[in-house]
Amino acid sequence: MLYLIGLGLGDAKDITVKGLEVVRRCSRVYLEAYTSVLTVGKEALEEFYGRELILADREDVEQEADSILKDADSSDVAFLVVGDPFGATTHSDLVLRATQLGIPYRVVHNASILNAVGCCGLQLYRFGETASIVFWTDSWRPESFFDKVKKNRQNGMHTLCLLDIKVKEQSLENLIKGRKIYEPPRYMTVNQAARQLLEIVENQRARGEEPAVTEDTLCVGLARVGAEDQRIAAGTLRQMCTVDLGGPLHSLIVTGGSLHPLETEMLSLFAVPEASPASRGTGDEPRT
Amino acid sequence: MLYLIGLGLGDAKDITVKGLEVVRRCSRVYLEAYTSVLTVGKEALEEFYGRELILADREDVEQEADSILKDADSSDVAFLVVGDPFGATTHSDLVLRATQLGIPYRVVHNASILNAVGCCGLQLYRFGETASIVFWTDSWRPESFFDKVKKNRQNGMHTLCLLDIKVKEQSLENLIKGRKIYEPPRYMTVNQAARQLLEIVENQRARGEEPAVTEDTLCVGLARVGAEDQRIAAGTLRQMCTVDLGGPLHSLIVTGGSLHPLETEMLSLFAVPEASPASRGTGDEPRT
């Protein structure tokens, strides 16, 4: 049996009791290592679970599904995923390969960022399609995710924006030379995401378009959702450019316009303090 | 401290390790009893948790928040919710009341139906706004939820339809006479939801409109997601009218039109067998 087990979002103890029982009895336990991170590392998980974990990075999952699935027809293998196994990244490819090989599978669900963001008080059933914001480079500055935000706002829906993660990326030079040397991991902050969004807004204005979002659009920044030190900040898109939410992972919500009174009241618990008049609206805020 | 703890979707062991630790040390533990059900009852939870649970129904949560929060400034109180505390039903009211009283709160997240439906293989980030389908009566047959399905489909998004639950409902007679006698609980099936949807389609055709959904629209019925005996069935809306998915809870997804190849491949694992030609398209299928 192949078990796909969600680890939730915070630390080692966010696994379910059912999930932990399975982990402790499986013959091999893989940890998916590329789409997300917990606030604790592999070692803390291994100590709590009492099991050695085999890291599975993107190459492994896509190219080496068969080694993960080896003997899973006669023994139990666990594949651990931060969040839920069918959350932000689906693991359909592994399920399909298992099914082709006649290996049964079972899913042990857990919280994912896609439902845990409800803790800010915005109602989950009012979210539209989820967007992803990628790191821009000097030459690659895609604006296409903005269409989803626009479509959602036109329909009165909130947009959850998942922010880019760069793990095990190679520099162009190392890639060309075939050197398996990896850059340090990078996690997009709410500040970076908000600045990219504002740049798109300005580009649209320069083209004479009416942007679906402005500096004053109400947004919610979230950091380390589910962890003890999680942070939530509600304020304008401009405020999101400078609010300090600490370490990764961050997510950004662009609200859909009119709010339910309960949503408004909940967001007020997390309101970013108004900036002093001297620092407001000068347009001189640092942008990098 | 007030702890809002998600129980997940299956049975007693779907609570997280963190959640279980909190439950075992709190001075009082409430179980929210009106929006959803696990496949096991209160007694099974009490036995596994080793704690007595106080049932909190809709009246309690809305009118008696203060009794739930009594002494929570000096001791720990847990409020257990099937799924995630901010899933299909938010518990913002309880959080806001606690905050007014100066009582800190913490959330222990878990899977909710809103993310666990990803197990069918449809990509969660392609879902639009969530719809709710209520039981029709002879005189009350609202069609408004269909607008959400339509809007989502126009934008290529899937729609998760949460199906009605009637728990602790009183008959009109008992309500008028003030008798606290409750009807047996009712849970809408995928069959019932699909038939109501098809009736709306027919009404729209009768009015000369072009419905956004037809008998042949690809849908997914899900039952008891997260439990050992969960069932998933992918097929046309017409097939959803008769597919047998067993006991509650059920959910229905109306797909958004074009699918990603991985979505198609995953859904094929759950395809309802084609009906034999003799029973197809006669329009004589029973409707009740």
Side-chain angles (χ1 to χ4, degrees):
Chain A
M1 177 83 78
L2 167 69
Y3 288 92
L4 295 117
I5 300 175
L7 300 185
L9 297 167
D11 58 36
K13 290 186 175 177
D14 284 304
I15 193 171
T16 65
V17 174
K18 188 179 284 173
L20 184 59
E21 285 182 358
V22 174
V23 165
R24 290 192 168 152
R25 71 156 194 264
C26 276
S27 57
R28 291 192 314 282
V29 185
Y30 293 89
L31 173 63
E32 186 247 36
Y34 60 83
T35 52
S36 197
V37 287
L38 289 175
T39 55
V40 296
K42 171 171 173 277
E43 294 70 27
L45 297 182
E46 287 181 322
E47 191 183 332
F48 181 69
Y49 302 156
R51 293 300 310 268
E52 186 197 340
L53 303 181
I54 308 163
L55 277 183
D57 61 24
R58 193 177 290 265
E59 295 161 52
D60 293 328
V61 177
E62 287 178 3
Q63 297 169 15
E64 295 175 37
D66 287 4
S67 87
I68 291 172
L69 294 171
K70 188 167 174 289
D71 304 327
D73 50 345
S74 55
S75 64
D76 288 337
V77 171
F79 187 77
L80 310 186
V81 179
V82 173
D84 185 81
F86 289 92
T89 303
T90 70
H91 291 84
S92 305
D93 44 0
L94 195 57
V95 165
L96 289 167
R97 186 68 190 132
T99 308
Q100 283 164 5
L101 296 170
I103 296 166
Y105 74 95
R106 191 161 289 169
V107 179
V108 181
H109 289 288
N110 210 318
S112 80
I113 189 66
L114 292 167
N115 73 323
V117 291
C119 64
C120 74
L122 292 174
Q123 291 166 347
L124 286 178
Y125 65 85
R126 294 193 57 210
F127 280 72
E129 200 170 2
T130 304
S132 293
I133 305 186
V134 298
F135 278 116
W136 279 355
T137 67
D138 288 341
S139 57
W140 190 63
R141 307 169 85 75
E143 301 191 355
S144 51
F145 75 92
F146 194 85
D147 294 342
K148 290 188 183 176
V149 177
K150 183 177 170 183
K151 214 159 56 172
N152 285 338
R153 276 180 65 81
Q154 283 169 342
N155 290 304
M157 299 186 228
H158 312 310
T159 309
L160 170 63
C161 302
L162 302 175
L163 307 188
D164 205 1
I165 294 173
K166 293 283 187 201
V167 179
K168 277 194 105 175
E169 295 284 316
Q170 286 168 282
S171 69
L172 191 59
E173 188 188 345
N174 286 327
L175 189 69
I176 289 168
K177 295 190 174 163
R179 293 191 295 225
K180 294 224 164 184
I181 300 170
Y182 301 103
E183 303 297 302
R186 290 192 301 150
Y187 306 97
M188 187 183 285
T189 64
V190 161
N191 302 155
Q192 292 168 316
R195 284 171 193 149
Q196 290 191 189
L197 256 172
L198 270 187
E199 196 170 319
I200 296 173
V201 169
E202 283 160 18
N203 291 343
Q204 296 194 334
R205 283 192 185 127
R207 291 195 296 266
E209 298 167 21
E210 174 96 44
V213 169
T214 74
E215 292 80 356
D216 296 319
T217 297
L218 181 60
C219 295
V220 184
L222 303 101
R224 302 173 304 287
V225 171
E228 298 240 334
D229 65 342
Q230 84 172 23
R231 285 284 312 280
I232 304 175
T236 64
L237 180 56
R238 183 183 292 280
Q239 287 176 314
M240 292 300 119
C241 293
T242 52
V243 67
D244 180 10
L245 294 173
L249 293 178
H250 289 193
S251 305
L252 177 68
I253 299 168
V254 181
T255 63
S258 70
L259 298 184
H260 185 281
L262 262 182
E263 292 183 314
T264 305
E265 212 177 335
M266 278 293 289
L267 286 190
S268 71
L269 301 181
F270 309 113
V272 179
E274 281 288 325
S276 65
S279 67
R280 276 176 68 194
T282 64
D284 291 335
E285 289 86 335
R287 278 306 178 86
T288 50
Chain B
M1 178 82 81
L2 167 69
Y3 287 93
L4 294 117
I5 301 174
L7 300 186
L9 297 168
D11 58 37
K13 289 185 176 178
D14 283 303
I15 193 170
T16 66
V17 174
K18 188 178 284 173
L20 184 59
E21 286 182 357
V22 174
V23 165
R24 289 192 169 154
R25 69 159 194 263
C26 277
S27 57
R28 294 193 310 284
V29 185
Y30 294 89
L31 173 64
E32 187 247 36
Y34 60 83
T35 53
S36 196
V37 286
L38 289 174
T39 53
V40 296
K42 172 173 172 274
E43 294 67 30
L45 297 182
E46 287 181 322
E47 190 182 332
F48 181 69
Y49 301 157
R51 292 300 310 269
E52 187 196 339
L53 302 181
I54 307 163
L55 277 183
D57 60 26
R58 192 178 288 266
E59 294 161 54
D60 293 325
V61 178
E62 286 178 4
Q63 296 168 17
E64 294 174 37
D66 288 2
S67 86
I68 292 173
L69 295 170
K70 190 166 173 291
D71 304 326
D73 50 347
S74 56
S75 65
D76 289 337
V77 172
F79 187 77
L80 310 185
V81 179
V82 173
D84 185 80
F86 290 90
T89 302
T90 71
H91 291 84
S92 304
D93 44 0
L94 195 56
V95 166
L96 289 167
R97 186 69 190 130
T99 307
Q100 284 164 3
L101 296 170
I103 296 166
Y105 74 95
R106 192 160 287 167
V107 179
V108 181
H109 289 288
N110 210 318
S112 78
I113 188 67
L114 292 166
N115 73 324
V117 291
C119 64
C120 73
L122 293 174
Q123 291 167 347
L124 285 180
Y125 66 84
R126 294 194 57 210
F127 279 72
E129 199 170 3
T130 305
S132 292
I133 305 186
V134 297
F135 277 118
W136 280 354
T137 66
D138 287 342
S139 57
W140 191 63
R141 307 168 87 77
E143 300 190 357
S144 51
F145 77 92
F146 194 85
D147 294 341
K148 291 189 183 175
V149 177
K150 182 177 171 183
K151 214 158 58 171
N152 286 338
R153 276 181 65 82
Q154 283 168 342
N155 289 304
M157 300 185 228
H158 311 310
T159 308
L160 170 62
C161 302
L162 302 175
L163 308 188
D164 205 0
I165 295 174
K166 293 283 186 202
V167 178
K168 276 195 103 174
E169 296 283 316
Q170 287 167 282
S171 68
L172 191 59
E173 188 187 346
N174 286 328
L175 191 68
I176 289 169
K177 295 191 174 164
R179 292 190 297 222
K180 294 224 166 186
I181 300 170
Y182 301 102
E183 303 297 302
R186 290 193 300 150
Y187 305 97
M188 187 184 284
T189 64
V190 161
N191 302 156
Q192 292 168 316
R195 284 170 195 151
Q196 290 191 188
L197 255 172
L198 271 188
E199 197 171 317
I200 295 173
V201 168
E202 283 160 20
N203 291 342
Q204 297 193 333
R205 283 192 186 127
R207 292 196 296 266
E209 298 166 23
E210 176 95 43
V213 169
T214 72
E215 291 80 355
D216 297 319
T217 297
L218 181 60
C219 296
V220 184
L222 303 100
R224 302 173 305 286
V225 171
E228 298 239 335
D229 65 342
Q230 85 172 21
R231 285 284 311 280
I232 303 175
T236 64
L237 180 56
R238 182 183 293 280
Q239 287 176 313
M240 292 299 118
C241 294
T242 50
V243 66
D244 180 10
L245 294 173
L249 292 178
H250 289 194
S251 306
L252 177 68
I253 298 168
V254 181
T255 63
S258 70
L259 298 184
H260 185 281
L262 262 182
E263 291 184 314
T264 305
E265 212 177 334
M266 277 293 290
L267 286 190
S268 72
L269 301 181
F270 309 113
V272 179
E274 282 288 324
S276 65
S279 68
R280 278 176 67 194
T282 63
D284 292 335
E285 289 86 337
R287 278 304 177 90
T288 49

